[in-house]
Amino acid sequence: MSQNPDKVHSSEEELSGLEDGQEQENSDNPDQSVRKRIRQSAPGSHRDDTPKSSPARPVSIEELMETAKGVTNMALAHEIVVNGDFQIKPAELPEHSLEKKVRDIVHKAFWDCLEAQLKEDPPTYDHAIKLLGEIKENLLSFLLPGHTRLRNQITEVLDLDLIKQEAENGALDISKLVKFVIGMMGTLCAPARDEEIKKLNDIHEIVPLFRAIFSVLDLMKMDMANFAVSSIRPKLMQQSAEYERKKFQEFLEKQPNSLDLVTKWLQEAADDLAKLRHEMLPPPSADGATGGASTLCFTAVQNQAYLKLLKWDHVNRPFPETVLMDQTRFLEIQLELEQLLLVGTVLLVTFSAAGPALIDVPGFAEKIKTIVKVLLMGMHLPSFNLKESLATIGEKVCAEVNSCLSQHGFTPFSAEREAVLKGQIRAVASVDNPICRLIDSRIQKFLENYLASSHQKTLPAVPGGLGPIQRELEEVAAKYVRLVNYNKMVFSPYYDAVLGKILTKEECQPVGKSEEP
């Protein structure tokens, strides 16, 4: 973001301005490999289901490049709005890259030249005055319109014409000017930079001091840019949905098959929901009437589709186009839930074995939970051995349980009870473990209820057995629902068009449209 962050334009201009700063994107942005998964060719079998799309036509390389740029810009705008922790950071060049070597050589040559000029007799201040001019511009860029007094101070003290005259007459006191600069930086910087400002006062050589000043100024510019992003985020939120929808429509017009994966995803969700409702409904009576409504509403199908994303096979199956920019986030939520599933299962097994004696002991549940979490860190890495980790967890948990029982006057576990508990914990590794399946079904039901009640003041209660992981589960659910609601806000028109055809083909009359967050 090279633009002045103090300038806030109209919504479309704000987003366009932010697009131009991609060299300083947040390191947490979705992976480029995820974005590339959007298909750009191969006509699909559901082309009739795509709303407002153009007929297939040959496209040029230039059009494809422009389309790719539009998708990237849309991803950046989306990242700023969705990611509350979005921050602009300076570009970090690889340690041994040619670009870094060239930059270091050029910088060294400049600072060596400055040092040589200042050591001349009499000193030459040409480079130093140019640096003071740059510092002046940087300081002025940090000011708000109401900072008249500070603006006058900077303009008066760093008057380049006067400084040049003083240099020509041998009356320039460069140390005095630098001291003023450091004081002004201390006035304008964020509190987080106070320590860096203090360090500047400990540098007494002019050239290293100039280098350090510019380094801190760069940090202050990052702070100002990030403050601007956080300040305009609420306004961006109001306009970003329309902006993303517009960009996606432009992409769809160039690639008419770009809703094929979405169509398949929603079709599967509708089939799953229809099957589930058929199983739950009573058998039809003699007159052919059923015991309840059999129609599917748009919102219910969409919610079921979003739940399917939490069980997605990211390795072998392409992600639906409309949620592609958030694939990394959905994957992170999926991995968090998988870890919570194991943590919750181990805790339930432990508390069931320990009985009511330890459930109400202050801090015991958190201590066991911390042990389990630490030993399950990295559980999704290829090198992670779940069986070995669960065996270690069994040992640690049994030791902690016995210690706590002894401290509170209860009889520790016998060797036989220890063996049973360790065996139950090791059994969690099995995909068919009944306790694990029970916890999983309750987590899914909680997320389903949370999704359905996301616009209500009263949130659903956590099902039984999930109490020890309630806080973590609610945090994940809140993050998941925010993501889902924003996606609905952007792409509901496309989902409604696709679902209208899907449900019509299944001879179901939709009873409701998707909710607008």
Side-chain angles (χ1 to χ4, degrees), residues 192-454:
R193 303 301 173 196
D194 288 345
E195 192 62 35
E196 281 87 352
I197 298 297
K198 289 180 181 179
K199 292 178 181 178
L200 294 179
N201 291 312
D202 297 332
I203 304 175
H204 303 293
E205 296 183 18
I206 293 299
V207 174
L209 183 54
F210 265 121
R211 297 190 68 166
I213 285 173
F214 275 96
S215 177
V216 176
L217 284 173
D218 286 340
L219 294 176
M220 292 174 63
K221 284 189 281 188
M222 289 296 102
D223 294 339
M224 178 62 76
N226 286 320
F227 173 76
V229 168
S230 63
S231 299
I232 65 177
R233 181 176 283 115
K235 189 173 181 180
L236 288 179
M237 175 70 80
Q238 299 172 10
Q239 304 296 330
S240 61
E242 181 181 345
Y243 175 79
E244 288 189 41
R245 194 181 305 120
K246 173 186 173 184
K247 289 295 183 181
F248 185 81
Q249 180 61 32
E250 292 173 359
F251 177 73
L252 185 61
E253 288 172 357
K254 291 183 172 65
Q255 298 295 316
N257 63 315
S258 296
L259 282 173
D260 289 353
L261 297 177
V262 168
T263 302
K264 184 178 179 182
W265 170 50
L266 293 176
Q267 179 70 63
E268 290 177 0
D271 293 343
D272 291 347
L273 207 56
K275 181 180 177 182
L276 181 63
R277 292 194 175 187
H278 177 74
E279 293 173 351
M280 295 176 62
L281 289 174
S285 59
D287 59 3
T290 61
S294 60
T295 56
L296 300 176
C297 72
F298 284 32
T299 300
V301 177
Q302 283 190 39
N303 288 349
Q304 177 65 20
Y306 285 117
L307 288 172
K308 289 177 69 67
L309 297 179
L310 300 178
K311 298 287 186 180
W312 202 265
D313 182 358
H314 293 265
V315 175
N316 300 311
R317 188 175 179 190
F319 219 54
E321 296 92 346
T322 52
V323 287
L324 191 62
M325 285 193 297
D326 287 318
Q327 181 171 11
T328 301
R329 290 189 178 87
F330 278 110
L331 176 58
E332 288 173 356
I333 292 173
Q334 181 176 341
L335 298 182
E336 287 181 47
L337 289 173
E338 289 175 2
Q339 186 183 55
L340 272 181
L341 171 60
L342 294 182
V343 173
T345 304
V346 171
L347 291 175
L348 182 60
V349 167
T350 302
F351 292 143
S352 298
L358 300 182
I359 293 179
D360 297 326
V361 172
F364 175 73
E366 284 299 319
K367 196 165 188 178
I368 295 294
K369 183 164 45 174
T370 301
I371 291 172
V372 178
K373 279 185 174 181
V374 168
L375 292 174
L376 287 178
M377 286 181 63
M379 62 175 286
H380 297 100
L381 298 175
S383 58
F384 186 83
N385 190 315
L386 180 58
K387 291 183 178 180
E388 289 183 2
S389 295
L390 288 174
T392 305
I393 288 172
E395 296 287 344
K396 297 283 187 181
V397 167
C398 283
E400 192 61 40
V401 168
N402 283 332
S403 173
C404 191
L405 287 171
S406 298
Q407 289 177 8
H408 291 83
F410 298 103
T411 304
F413 278 4
S414 63
E416 184 179 353
R417 289 187 67 185
E418 276 194 29
V420 171
L421 178 55
K422 291 176 183 177
Q424 289 177 327
I425 293 176
R426 287 196 302 270
V428 172
S430 172
V431 294
D432 297 322
N433 183 273
I435 301 177
C436 204
R437 291 168 68 91
L438 174 65
I439 295 294
D440 186 40
S441 66
R442 291 183 178 179
I443 289 176
Q444 293 299 314
K445 188 63 179 177
F446 173 73
L447 292 173
E448 179 184 348
N449 293 337
Y450 206 102
L451 200 56
S453 63
S454 60

Side-chain angles (χ1 to χ4, degrees), residues 42-44 47 50 53-59 252-257:
R47 183 165 300 165
T50 56
S53 61
S54 306
R57 63 179 178 82
V59 292
L252 185 61
E253 288 172 357
K254 291 183 172 65
Q255 298 295 316
N257 63 315

Side-chain angles (χ1 to χ4, degrees), residues 2-64:
S2 57
Q3 300 167 335
N4 186 344
D6 294 331
K7 297 179 182 178
V8 180
H9 307 287
S10 65
S11 57
E12 185 89 15
E13 291 170 339
E14 288 167 352
L15 291 165
S16 300
L18 290 167
E19 293 162 7
D20 297 333
Q22 294 172 51
E23 70 276 2
Q24 295 176 331
E25 281 184 30
N26 178 23
S27 59
D28 295 332
N29 280 353
D31 295 334
Q32 294 293 334
S33 60
V34 173
R35 298 193 187 112
K36 293 178 182 177
R37 296 276 294 276
I38 296 181
R39 300 191 306 171
Q40 296 182 336
S41 58
S45 58
H46 299 286
R47 183 165 300 165
D48 292 340
D49 294 331
T50 56
K52 300 190 295 182
S53 61
S54 306
R57 63 179 178 82
V59 292
S60 66
I61 295 296
E62 290 76 13
E63 288 176 310
L64 286 177

Side-chain angles (χ1 to χ4, degrees), residues 75-89:
L76 179 58
H78 178 86
E79 180 73 16
I80 293 172
V81 172
V82 173
N83 184 5
D85 297 324
F86 178 90
Q87 284 193 333
I88 300 169
K89 297 180 180 179

